[in-house]
Amino acid sequence: MAEVFYVGVDVGTASVRAALVTREGLLKTTAEEPITIWKPQPEHYVQSSTEIWQKCCSVVKVVTSGVQSDQIRGVGFDATCSLVVLDESFQPVPVTQEGDPQKNVVMWMDHRAAEQADRITNTGHRVLSRVGGVMSQEMQPPKLLWLKENLKDSCWDKAAHFFDLPDFLSWKATGSTTRSLCTLVCKWTYCPPGGWDPSFWISVGLEDLLENNFSKIGSATCSPGSPLAGGLTPQAAADLGLNPGTAVGASLIDAHAGGLGVIGADVQGFDLPCEGWPITSRMVIVCGTSTCHMAISEQPRFVPGVWGPYLSAMVPDLWLNEGGQSATGRLIDHIVKGHAAYAQLQEQANQRVPFTGANIYSYLNSHLAQMAGSPPAVDLLGSSLHVWPDFHGNRSPLADPTLKGMVIGLPLSQTVDDLARLYLATLQALALGTRHILDSVKEAGCDIRTLFLCGGLSKNLLFVQIQANATALPVVLPDQSEAVLVGAAILGACASQDYEAIEVAMEKMAKVGRVVQPDQELKSFYDRKYKVFLQLFSHQREYQALMKHQ
């Protein structure tokens, strides 16, 4: 009997990726294509759903080129939680002042709707209890309100379908407008089993979305991985190079696909504190451009500044809480590439191996090791340099998009050593931000014993080690480096009904690769550094208050 495969498609911030995945969760082939990001105004970030779908088709054809199409049992999609706008004929509607219809996606990191988000928060509506009490401008209601108030004629009045990007992809593949509970619950205020709360939309001035049983934003829902319609439509099958009717699973937000690809792994034999405990003792950290921190529980837990509890948003019948950091990989790039010694760093790195963006960080890691002389001493190089990492606002647990970054302890010199120390201090600040989120969910009753990391930053072993050291928790890295793609493929496997439940597919297809233990000798160092970290926040609030009084 021929081997069977599943295709996972991941639409990230700047690229589309696909993987051919075996029944055991092993990646056979992968492919990647860049996608365009436009920034027409400050804080506005837009994309094209047409281009995104074209790139999806391109990468799927590459990864499936070596197998027969009838060996592909299922397809799963994940994507960033960006907002796609289409008209009654499902054609793109512009989301920019210039009116280019191809620019019809408001990206997740678009912060144009800050004022609308504040107004929604100030309503104090009961749905806000499930988003930590504060409506983030990265969620869809404030973006919808901004479009209505600023692009009424060119966008709002023409729009007939508002999709989260993961749901757009599953619609494009199957023709089904059924939305995934992952997207609607996490980003749109939908709450099963009751569904939409009409009073919320009326209270924020979006009462027109109630028409036709909320048809513009989704009147039918299902759990992630549920089979959609009759699978691939003939048109989508032709676009992707697959067979019509191939099963397609209801989609996930990209971070949640990463969670699905790691959280269910069998940990027996790895001497982890979560062994023998339910998966509610695990936190998934999906770290890339930004970072999501996800914990699941059997009972709903309300955590100030942390999104959720969301029922069945990742794992059926379990509640999800989701913290996050709006800029992580993006912040590291900003700190390193903006430093005066960056050109010198590039030159030094290039002398060792041909230059790539990735080996800048491997070079920095080895440079820090040389500066320190021994592994524990690397962390200590950051003892007099402290960073508050919210250069793009704080998503969790403070839920304050107005916060800015801070650096304390800069010298007058600007050498490569100085750059390396600042890079280290930034990694430490991000890890202390994880600790800040962990403290918040623990106070709400979550018993987190082990961290599971995936995403681009999890390939940086210094970043991973510092996450372990700063939180005093072991970190599990997945066997397959692209856990998000494995998670997307799990959706296809579930839709094909080769596995009877998503939990079974998670356990069979997700595997532990490596365990990184915290360095216990550094516990007191990070306890002290965490106190400084929290003081930086207090000082920033004091500065803000002083300036307001002036």
Side-chain angles (χ1 to χ4, degrees), residues 312-329:
S312 298
M314 185 168 72
V315 181
D317 302 320
L318 290 177
W319 297 86
L320 172 70
N321 285 97
E322 181 186 342
Q325 294 165 309
S326 292
T328 45

Side-chain angles (χ1 to χ4, degrees), residues 383-522:
S383 58
S384 61
L385 191 58
H386 308 282
V387 175
W388 181 261
D390 294 327
F391 285 53
H392 198 52
N394 183 285
R395 186 187 297 172
S396 304
L398 303 172
D400 186 349
T402 69
L403 287 177
K404 305 299 180 187
M406 297 176 69
V407 183
I408 303 295
L410 286 172
L412 195 58
S413 58
Q414 292 182 317
T415 65
V416 170
D417 283 3
D418 295 318
L419 169 50
R421 285 192 183 90
L422 184 56
Y423 160 69
L424 171 66
T426 304
L427 298 188
Q428 292 174 327
L430 293 169
L432 293 170
T434 292
R435 180 167 169 170
H436 201 190
I437 293 167
L438 273 168
D439 283 354
S440 297
V441 298
K442 285 179 179 178
E443 285 176 15
C446 294
D447 182 17
I448 305 299
R449 294 167 174 261
T450 308
L451 305 180
F452 287 67
L453 261 64
C454 64
L457 278 176
S458 68
K459 299 169 188 175
N460 183 330
L461 293 183
L462 181 59
F463 175 89
V464 174
Q465 185 65 62
I466 289 173
Q467 290 278 324
N469 293 346
T471 61
L473 290 175
V475 170
V476 172
L477 298 176
D479 175 59
Q480 300 297 296
S481 61
E482 304 296 349
V484 174
L485 287 168
V486 173
I490 286 173
L491 299 174
C494 291
S496 73
Q497 301 182 330
D498 288 350
Y499 290 106
E500 62 268 29
I502 204 165
E503 296 90 339
V504 177
M506 285 163 51
E507 186 173 352
K508 297 293 186 184
M509 296 177 71
K511 294 178 175 61
V512 175
R514 177 176 177 176
V515 175
V516 177
Q517 296 287 352
D519 188 331
Q520 298 299 335
E521 293 181 15
L522 291 168

Side-chain angles (χ1 to χ4, degrees), residues 126-379:
R126 57 179 174 263
V127 303
L128 297 174
S129 67
R130 296 190 297 273
V131 293
V134 178
M135 176 58 67
S136 168
Q137 57 199 327
E138 293 178 9
M139 292 185 174
Q140 308 304 9
K143 292 175 179 175
L144 292 167
L145 186 56
W146 189 95
L147 292 174
K148 181 177 180 179
E149 293 179 344
N150 293 274
L151 298 176
K152 190 171 188 306
D153 294 337
S154 61
C155 177
W156 187 258
D157 290 345
K158 295 178 181 178
H161 304 280
F162 296 102
F163 284 104
D164 220 275
L165 182 53
D167 290 319
F168 164 81
L169 296 172
S170 56
W171 163 76
K172 193 74 176 171
T174 67
S176 171
T177 58
T178 298
R179 300 327 202 259
S180 169
L181 283 174
C182 177
T183 57
L184 288 199
V185 171
C186 292
K187 304 300 175 185
W188 297 72
T189 75
Y190 188 89
C191 186
W196 297 114
D197 187 331
S199 68
F200 166 72
W201 298 101
I202 293 168
S203 72
V204 301
L206 292 172
E207 60 283 343
D208 23 358
L209 295 178
L210 275 62
E211 296 172 5
N212 300 317
N213 190 28
F214 295 92
S215 64
K216 289 185 178 181
I217 57 175
S219 51
T221 63
C222 66
S223 295
S226 301
L228 290 172
L232 289 178
T233 65
Q235 181 61 58
D239 291 345
L240 294 163
L242 300 175
N243 289 342
T246 301
V248 177
S251 56
L252 281 169
I253 297 166
D254 55 351
H256 302 70
L260 206 64
V262 296
I263 197 170
D266 182 357
V267 298
Q268 286 188 333
F270 288 92
D271 193 28
L272 287 164
C274 66
E275 184 175 343
W277 291 79
I279 60 173
T280 53
S281 63
R282 309 175 184 189
M283 173 177 276
V284 175
I285 302 178
V286 185
C287 42
T289 306
S290 62
T291 292
C292 287
H293 300 70
M294 293 178 287
I296 52 179
S297 55
E298 294 177 355
Q299 301 297 325
R301 302 190 186 281
F302 293 86
V303 186
V306 172
W307 299 340
Y310 299 140
L311 181 62
S312 298
M314 185 168 72
V315 181
D317 302 320
L318 290 177
W319 297 86
L320 172 70
N321 285 97
E322 181 186 342
Q325 294 165 309
S326 292
T328 45
R330 189 172 166 216
L331 174 63
I332 295 167
D333 284 346
H334 173 78
I335 291 291
V336 171
K337 294 178 180 178
H339 197 278
Y342 180 62
Q344 186 182 353
L345 173 69
Q346 285 180 298
E347 185 179 338
Q348 290 183 11
N350 203 30
Q351 288 173 359
R352 192 175 68 169
V353 289
F355 174 73
T356 67
N359 73 26
I360 275 289
Y361 295 108
S362 62
Y363 179 80
L364 275 170
N365 294 350
S366 63
H367 188 79
L368 283 165
Q370 289 176 352
M371 289 170 64
S374 62
V378 168
D379 299 62

